[in-house]
Amino acid sequence: MPRLPHTSPQTLHVFEALLAAPDAWRYGYDLSRETGLASGSLYPILMRLAEGALLETRWEPAEQPGRPPRHLYRLTPTGAELARARLARAAAVSSPTPAVPPTAAVVTPSAAVVRLRPQAAS
Amino acid sequence: MSAAHRLARRVLSVALAGSRSPWGAAVVAELDQVTGTWAVLRWTAGGLRVAWRERRGVRLTTAAALVAAVALATFTVRPIPSGAMAPTLGIGDHALVDRLTFRLTGIDRGDVIVLRAPTGTGDWFTTVDRVIGVGGDTISCTGGRVHRNGTPLEEPYTHGTTTDCSPVTVPAGTFYVLGDNRDSARDSRHYGPQPAANVDGRVIL
């Protein structure tokens, strides 16, 4: 079965950043800062999303003459839908029983030690 | 603008020259926001990766052209220069010749090869012949039939013509060749076994 596209952790980070303000046009540099991704990781992801019509792009005219126009990104409606679905899927995979609050799963270190060495306590 | 920014711009403009996709330019446009030499270098390295990805189509075209060039240099169609191989190959028939891979796989008995052979008067001529013996074989003719290492050969391609030859032991690194047209071919019966260096190609079709 082919791997489901747009599910890598890096792509999910990009989805999170873009979904934080779904209607806003975002700069590549800001997305790089928010996701912690280097340009060499971020831009190939943006390129893939744009190829799949999940991301729309436009050029912002330069504020000052002599400055290059900047490229802007925003999820398309299809892209936003897919992004939410992928993030929900990732959340479901990482915690299969969402009914249990996360704090219930926390085991204190001392408890773990006791459970690993039951003889030591006797 | 810092020296790192100037260097980054120059490197990326070279990497992106002729690119028709917007992504490389998009990475360059963000350079103004990046501060710090290390960050600029990192951003530039990513830009190079984007430029490399953008050129996937160009790279595929280049690779295909290289493969085609090697294939064309390796496989050539050439006309048969003489009637030495009649009736298997007649004068003017076209044969597909492999000029490269035989150098890797070697030539064996029975292969039909393109050979540069001495005319005997100081000149060379190109001929197409069949390899009868390789280094170490003894070739002799008895009763109109060719014997290799004492065993008579089945040679349907001669169509019953008889062969006369002087017995010879083929030296290492040479080939003993005969044209299928035994009555008229000038071959190793005249110019002896020929070194592998004189082989120009192997006929495939």
Side-chain angles (χ1 to χ4, degrees):
Chain A
M1 199 179 87
R3 199 172 67 87
L4 197 61
H6 311 302
T7 50
S8 74
Q10 292 84 352
T11 304
L12 295 179
H13 283 139
V14 174
F15 281 154
E16 273 171 11
L18 287 166
L19 280 177
D23 297 328
W25 288 95
R26 309 297 312 278
Y27 293 117
Y29 179 70
D30 295 346
L31 290 175
S32 167
R33 291 285 296 267
E34 285 171 32
T35 57
L37 294 174
S39 57
S41 307
L42 172 68
Y43 278 89
I45 290 170
L46 296 177
M47 289 160 91
R48 271 196 296 278
L49 294 177
E51 278 160 20
L54 302 170
L55 188 78
E56 47 188 338
T57 68
R58 73 177 178 90
W59 289 97
E60 179 191 61
E63 297 149 10
Q64 311 157 20
R67 287 269 163 259
R70 293 178 72 183
H71 213 203
L72 291 164
Y73 312 103
R74 185 170 77 173
L75 285 170
T76 62
T78 325
E81 198 178 313
L82 183 109
R84 290 196 186 92
R86 290 289 187 268
L87 288 172
R89 181 178 170 278
V93 167
S94 59
S95 56
T97 52
V100 181
T103 44
V106 173
V107 178
T108 59
S110 56
V113 169
V114 168
R115 217 183 324 152
L116 280 170
R117 296 185 181 173
Q119 308 96 315
S122 59
Chain B
M1 203 196 301
S2 75
H5 280 93
R6 278 197 298 277
L7 177 69
R9 260 176 224 293
R10 181 160 303 174
V11 166
L12 286 174
S13 75
V14 169
L16 293 166
S19 167
R20 267 175 287 173
S21 136
W23 293 97
V27 177
V28 175
E30 298 301 297
L31 261 178
D32 286 344
Q33 318 300 318
V34 187
T35 49
T37 304
W38 176 240
V40 167
L41 290 180
R42 245 168 84 79
W43 193 263
T44 307
L48 290 175
R49 198 176 149 193
V50 171
W52 176 252
R53 195 179 187 280
E54 274 189 334
R55 288 172 181 273
R56 184 176 288 168
V58 179
R59 294 204 310 274
L60 282 176
T61 312
T62 312
L66 273 175
V67 168
V70 170
L72 282 176
T74 303
F75 301 103
T76 55
V77 175
R78 59 167 300 149
I80 299 301
S82 73
M85 284 296 284
T88 313
L89 296 166
I91 298 179
D93 282 358
H94 286 78
L96 182 63
V97 177
D98 163 12
R99 302 182 59 203
L100 181 67
T101 61
F102 75 88
R103 296 177 205 274
L104 309 171
T105 60
I107 286 173
D108 206 355
R109 301 165 182 139
D111 286 348
V112 177
I113 61 172
V114 178
L115 184 71
R116 277 176 298 112
T119 57
T121 59
D123 277 341
W124 295 81
F125 71 111
T126 299
T127 177
V128 177
D129 283 316
R130 192 180 298 274
V131 175
I132 301 297
V134 299
D137 287 343
T138 57
I139 305 295
S140 59
C141 296
T142 313
R145 283 184 77 176
V146 179
H147 290 61
R148 179 168 59 219
N149 303 325
T151 311
L153 301 182
E154 286 296 330
E155 296 191 288
Y157 41 78
T158 63
H159 295 274
T161 40
T162 58
T163 313
D164 282 321
C165 65
S166 319
V168 62
T169 299
V170 184
T174 68
F175 301 108
Y176 188 93
V177 299
L178 293 176
D180 287 356
N181 186 353
R182 297 290 153 80
D183 293 334
S184 76
R186 283 189 66 81
D187 45 34
S188 285
R189 291 172 294 177
H190 304 87
Y191 47 68
Q194 290 299 305
N198 291 359
V199 178
D200 258 354
R202 175 168 50 191
V203 174
I204 303 173
L205 287 172

